Amino acid sequence: MALFNKNAETANVVVPTHIGIIMDGNGRWAKKRMLPRSAGHVAGSENFKTIARHCNKIGVKYLTVYAFSTENWKRPKAEVDGIMNLLRKYLKDSTNFKAENIKLRFIGELSVLPEDIRELIKTAEAESSEATGLTVYMAVNYGGRDEIVHAVKRIAEEVRSGALNIEEITEETVSERLYADCPDPDFIIRPSGEYRLSNFLPWQSAYSEFWYSDVLWPDFSPDDLDKAILDFNKRNRRFGGVKEEKEESE
Ligand code: FPP
């Protein structure tokens, strides 16, 4: 793995431009250690930082992480509050991203978040807007179907106002009205042994490669990410077309 870490080009490894991660398994990680679930989320948020740094180091351009879904409000209030507090803590410490040349962006229905968090998000996005390294999209109160409904409403409004003709609506029209301004994810990772997308980037993942692992998120290491990326390199992405077989020597 060392060669890949230090010099992906020499190792002939293609690093995915955009990786999506469903940070799953925090609760089970805590349970295994007889700790409260909140301890799992603390460990999960620390690991997010480790993995984001690693992505930045190896040249990933975009990392989208699922931090809180539109369905997660159903969890006990103490757990929801705990996750919001982790978010506050992370946002207050700008060394987490500013000093590392990482651009921070948030996606999801942010208007219902506590006001202080919305303010912290605004500040973090502004403070990191000049960063040229990795862009992290953190999905908070995010639901993929909800995102599509938002886009549809915007399109409907534009049609109603006369700014858009129905005949001009294409897939790009929808893509351009989703939350993030970046290419679709090449690679989606879900640790913790679940094999579901759980409403994470359903439109954008139409041609994404998926990678699953039994490792629980707080234990998912940079080495695990490197292994996943090496696996990604063995996939033959055809986007619905036909691709010629690779030469034996390649
Ligand atoms: C899923 O694991 C995880 C979540 C719903 C929350 C993820 C949140 C974080 C990693 C912290 C976010 C904060 C920052 C600063 C990134 P689970 O609780 O469903 O695990 P389980 O399936 O084992 O119960």
Side-chain angles (χ1 to χ4, degrees), residues 23-29 37 41 44-45 48 66-67 72 75 79 83 86-87 90 138 194 217:
M23 303 187 290
D24 195 14
N26 296 344
R28 277 163 285 169
W29 182 93
R37 291 179 61 82
H41 294 314
S45 69
F48 153 71
Y66 209 178
N72 286 153
R75 295 188 176 209
E79 184 171 347
I83 295 174
L86 284 172
L87 207 53
Y90 177 74
M138 199 177 286
E194 308 287 353
W217 170 248

Side-chain angles (χ1 to χ4, degrees), residues 45-233:
S45 69
E46 285 305 316
N47 199 42
F48 153 71
K49 291 193 240 172
T50 305
I51 294 295
R53 269 181 212 128
H54 187 65
C55 284
N56 196 25
K57 186 170 119 190
I58 64 174
V60 176
K61 291 279 169 238
Y62 305 95
L63 171 69
T64 302
V65 288
Y66 209 178
F68 194 84
S69 76
T70 44
E71 288 73 35
N72 286 153
W73 298 106
K74 291 179 209 149
R75 295 188 176 209
K77 185 174 180 306
E79 184 171 347
V80 171
D81 288 349
I83 295 174
M84 292 298 153
N85 279 334
L86 284 172
L87 207 53
R88 273 189 189 93
K89 193 164 159 249
Y90 177 74
L91 287 163
K92 279 182 183 164
D93 182 1
S94 67
T95 57
N96 281 329
F97 40 89
K98 212 173 154 188
E100 309 205 35
N101 199 24
I102 292 177
K103 194 184 283 191
L104 250 193
R105 287 279 173 273
F106 282 75
I107 58 170
E109 180 45 89
L110 307 178
S111 64
V112 298
L113 296 179
E115 196 183 341
D116 68 310
I117 294 192
R118 279 186 281 136
E119 284 304 315
L120 287 167
I121 287 176
K122 256 195 231 162
T123 309
E125 288 189 336
E127 281 187 351
S128 67
S129 63
E130 303 293 321
T132 54
L134 173 75
T135 298
V136 169
Y137 282 104
M138 199 177 286
V140 179
N141 194 28
Y142 175 87
R145 288 184 171 186
D146 189 51
E147 180 181 32
I148 294 168
V149 169
H150 268 89
V152 169
K153 283 185 178 165
R154 276 185 59 189
I155 291 168
E157 269 166 23
E158 288 172 45
V159 169
R160 185 165 58 184
S161 73
L164 188 68
N165 289 321
I166 290 182
E167 294 71 29
E168 289 167 1
I169 297 173
T170 61
E171 291 183 10
E172 282 69 40
T173 317
V174 178
S175 290
E176 283 163 14
R177 284 155 185 79
L178 300 176
Y179 293 127
D181 181 19
C182 68
D184 289 340
D186 311 282
F187 198 32
I188 293 190
I189 293 174
R190 180 162 195 163
S192 95
E194 308 287 353
Y195 302 91
R196 285 185 299 278
L197 198 52
S198 297
N199 211 8
F200 182 57
L201 307 176
W203 174 278
Q204 300 88 329
S205 63
Y207 287 101
S208 305
E209 295 291 331
F210 285 90
W211 196 84
Y212 302 100
S213 154
D214 285 339
V215 178
L216 302 172
W217 170 248
D219 291 330
F220 187 84
S221 66
D223 250 17
D224 289 319
L225 182 65
D226 288 353
K227 279 181 208 148
I229 292 175
L230 290 176
D231 251 13
F232 171 81
N233 275 258

